[in-house]
Amino acid sequence: MLIGRQRHEQGSGGAREHIYAATGGATCSVPLAGAAEIEAAVEAAHQAGALWRHQAGAERARLLHALGEALLAHGEELALVQTMESAVPSMFARTFLTSAAQHFFYNAGWADKLDGELLPVGPGALDYTRAEPYGVLASIVPWNGGLAALAQVLAPMLATGNTVVLKPSELAPFSAQRLVELALEAGLPAGVVNVVTGTAEAGRLLVRHPGVAKIHFTGSRATARDVLAGAAEHIVPVCLELGGKSALLVCADADLMAAAQQALAAIVGLCGQGCALPTRVLVARDVQARFLVLLKGLLRRVQVGDPLAPSTQVGPLISADACARVLGVIERAQQRGEATLLSGGQRLTGELAEGFFIAPTLFSDVPEDSELAREELFGPVLSVLGFDDESEALRLANDSPYGLAAYVFSADLRRAQRLAAALEVGSVWINGQAALAPAMPFGGCKQSGYGRLGGRAGLREFTRPKNVWLALDDSPPRSS
Ligand code: NAD
């Protein structure tokens, strides 16, 4: 843990072995925060805030830029750190890193441009707003997004003058630790970002600490309910980035190879363990057979294996529990005979047997009310459903408790935009997907959460407008 400038090698919450998912072996023991460390971290952030919130925006910009540069300068090392913590394949760990640096550069650009509004309140008075930071923010994050996800949250928090207590997942605590070390080296004042490693218990303590002014939580729906209950104790605002079961709509006129590659992207890289990945594939019945041939062909060529090997595209699941959970869903679907298994479906053996690997799995003829179609599986499993027309496609896509993202493939851009407007989600990608650029607001609808990260919306998320009214002369002002 890193609190202020102080490194804590032990925690009052005990310790936990970190497991490398590719081999099932322990890497090292990680200290767990208890009440003492949470208290110290909130206090350090509080003290640092007195300086940081009044720092000139240009100075915050300079420091965030320096942090972005530091990430790039430590590229090799940070790629390895990310792979060792979550077993994400090296080639994707590198893209996380570039994306992380871009989040810092983008938000640095806003740090000296956080203006307010001048409001017309009638003669005799001046009224304006100031965009003020909240103070100490708690950021509780999962294990799957590496440095990109950390930077997506931290960069706008820091650019807007807040200070942070960051609690990474116990399953992947190393990138956060290293990022905060680099922040100190880049010149950020001690205490501006603190990292406390810990389990659910540390998260619970942090959420309920009276010194926290706002909570940002990324994780599962079940945990979000407890976070909201904790936040209610002190009436603290919360921003939630939760799960998804994103639909990929493949219309009959779509470029089928491009759409199949998009479906494949739900599995490669994060092994299906990403919140916005399109694991629910809705295909026009007229082209479904051709689409499935293309997708099966792509799946056959995917390189699954050692995440440290440069050519590996798919690594293991994060834990033995996750592996057992996903295999359970696959097994139940087969026992019920409710879908057709076209590819994968089993745990990998041989050299990979000790790791938590599942073969990339493809089901077709998936019923809309099945576990495969409705639950966020967080594993390398694609479920294909058919539709007859646009209205059925839309009904199926929106028939989900989640609303994080959707993907549309169609040659008819009017149709694609009609669908984009009607989809109940926070983000829509049409005919492809670029990486999540820092300028894009990202977040969910429905049970995928609320609040936004990225772009101006991300900056607004971590500032609040204070209204200032000033009498300009002695006569009582009249309202306009
Ligand atoms: P999780 O909810 O189990 O854990 C997330 C974090 O919360 C971890 O740091 C964990 O230690 C902490 N935590 C656990 N219980 C807590 C409690 N009671 N109070 C406070 N903190 C607690 O989620 P996970 O399994 O680590 O991550 C996977 C989930 O995250 C998926 O549902 C995924 O879709 C979601 N996710 C969403 C986004 C997004 O941006 N929308 C991004 C990545 C992941």
Side-chain angles (χ1 to χ4, degrees):
M1 284 179 255
L2 201 50
I3 299 172
R5 212 171 275 287
Q6 184 118 34
R7 184 187 292 276
H8 294 245
E9 309 246 331
Q10 317 227 308
S12 59
R16 185 179 193 280
E17 292 274 272
H18 170 266
I19 304 294
Y20 179 46
T23 60
T27 56
C28 67
S29 168
V30 177
L32 302 179
E37 292 78 22
I38 297 296
E39 185 61 42
V42 174
E43 179 55 28
H46 182 68
Q47 284 188 14
L51 171 76
W52 186 247
R53 67 186 292 141
H54 299 300
Q55 188 84 272
E59 177 61 3
R60 286 202 301 270
R62 187 184 70 76
L63 293 168
L64 292 181
H65 239 281
L67 176 53
E69 293 291 357
L71 292 178
L72 295 177
H74 289 76
E76 284 296 306
E77 176 215 331
L78 291 172
L80 182 60
V81 167
Q82 293 175 97
T83 297
M84 290 310 295
E85 71 173 6
S86 69
V88 61
S90 295
M91 75 164 99
F92 298 100
R94 271 166 231 274
T95 64
F96 281 175
L97 181 80
T98 324
S99 159
Q102 283 166 356
H103 282 291
F104 282 110
F105 296 149
Y106 173 85
N107 284 281
W110 281 112
D112 58 356
K113 300 173 191 68
L114 302 168
D115 50 15
E117 290 176 297
L118 184 64
L119 299 166
V121 292
L126 174 71
D127 194 283
Y128 60 92
T129 61
R130 295 163 45 84
E132 294 195 345
Y134 278 83
V136 177
L137 303 179
S139 177
I140 301 177
V141 293
W143 48 267
N144 62 335
L147 285 163
L150 293 174
Q152 189 189 27
V153 185
L154 283 182
M157 287 178 162
L158 298 176
T160 47
N162 297 282
T163 55
V164 185
V165 178
L166 173 64
K167 196 207 82 65
S169 166
E170 60 275 30
L171 299 175
F174 306 136
S175 302
Q177 174 79 22
R178 196 65 191 108
L179 177 66
V180 177
E181 283 172 2
L182 289 173
L184 288 173
E185 284 171 29
L188 271 88
V192 167
V193 200
N194 308 274
V195 57
V196 286
T197 48
T199 58
E201 193 44 36
R204 269 189 213 107
L205 290 165
L206 182 55
V207 160
R208 286 162 178 81
H209 194 292
V212 168
K214 182 164 183 176
I215 299 160
H216 174 269
F217 171 75
T218 305
S220 62
R221 279 190 297 180
T223 310
R225 291 189 185 102
D226 193 40
V227 168
L228 287 171
E233 288 182 16
H234 299 287
I235 322 283
V236 170
V238 182
C239 159
L240 295 175
E241 301 280 340
L242 308 179
K245 183 78 180 177
S246 300
L248 165 59
L249 283 71
V250 186
C251 300
D253 60 355
D255 174 340
L256 293 184
M257 182 46 107
Q261 274 163 342
Q262 187 67 61
L264 184 79
I267 284 182
V268 300
L270 288 174
C271 190
Q273 304 170 107
C275 50
L277 297 174
T279 51
R280 199 160 51 106
V281 188
L282 312 178
V283 188
R285 287 210 169 81
D286 293 350
V287 295
Q288 194 170 325
R290 273 195 290 143
F291 175 82
L292 287 172
V293 169
L294 292 173
L295 185 53
K296 273 194 291 183
L298 291 175
L299 282 171
R300 259 197 305 277
R301 292 197 291 279
V302 161
Q303 302 272 321
V304 185
D306 176 4
L308 289 168
S311 59
T312 295
Q313 295 170 287
V314 183
L317 284 99
I318 186 69
S319 65
D321 284 353
C323 195
R325 182 178 49 73
V326 174
L327 286 171
V329 176
I330 294 172
E331 223 173 273
R332 282 193 293 282
Q334 288 181 284
Q335 277 164 5
R336 292 180 193 136
E338 63 184 10
T340 312
L341 180 66
L342 296 179
S343 179
Q346 78 285 7
R347 187 164 177 172
L348 296 183
T349 52
E351 277 182 2
L352 301 177
E354 302 296 314
F356 313 130
F357 291 88
I358 294 180
T361 298
L362 174 63
F363 280 102
S364 67
D365 310 316
V366 174
E368 60 183 276
D369 56 354
S370 62
E371 197 176 10
L372 280 176
R374 299 195 70 80
E375 296 300 319
E376 181 186 45
L377 303 187
F378 239 52
V381 183
L382 290 174
S383 301
V384 176
L385 293 80
F387 65 80
D388 287 321
D389 56 25
E390 190 179 316
S391 68
E392 191 184 13
L394 192 59
R395 183 186 64 73
L396 287 170
N398 284 341
D399 181 21
S400 169
Y402 293 108
L404 193 55
Y407 304 73
V408 177
F409 278 75
S410 170
D412 178 348
L413 296 188
R414 279 203 197 134
R415 187 215 321 252
Q417 290 180 75
R418 205 161 53 229
L419 285 165
L423 285 160
E424 296 164 358
V425 293
S427 300
V428 179
W429 278 278
I430 299 174
N431 290 342
Q433 186 190 21
L436 204 59
M440 296 174 175
F442 180 71
C445 303
K446 303 199 276 190
Q447 293 185 32
S448 291
Y450 46 78
R452 291 292 180 268
L453 293 174
R456 294 183 204 197
L459 294 147
R460 277 195 294 273
E461 192 66 52
F462 301 118
T463 52
R464 51 186 162 195
K466 177 186 277 174
N467 193 71
V468 180
W469 182 94
L470 168 70
L472 290 182
D473 57 35
D474 296 336
S475 56
R478 295 179 309 246
S479 60
S480 55

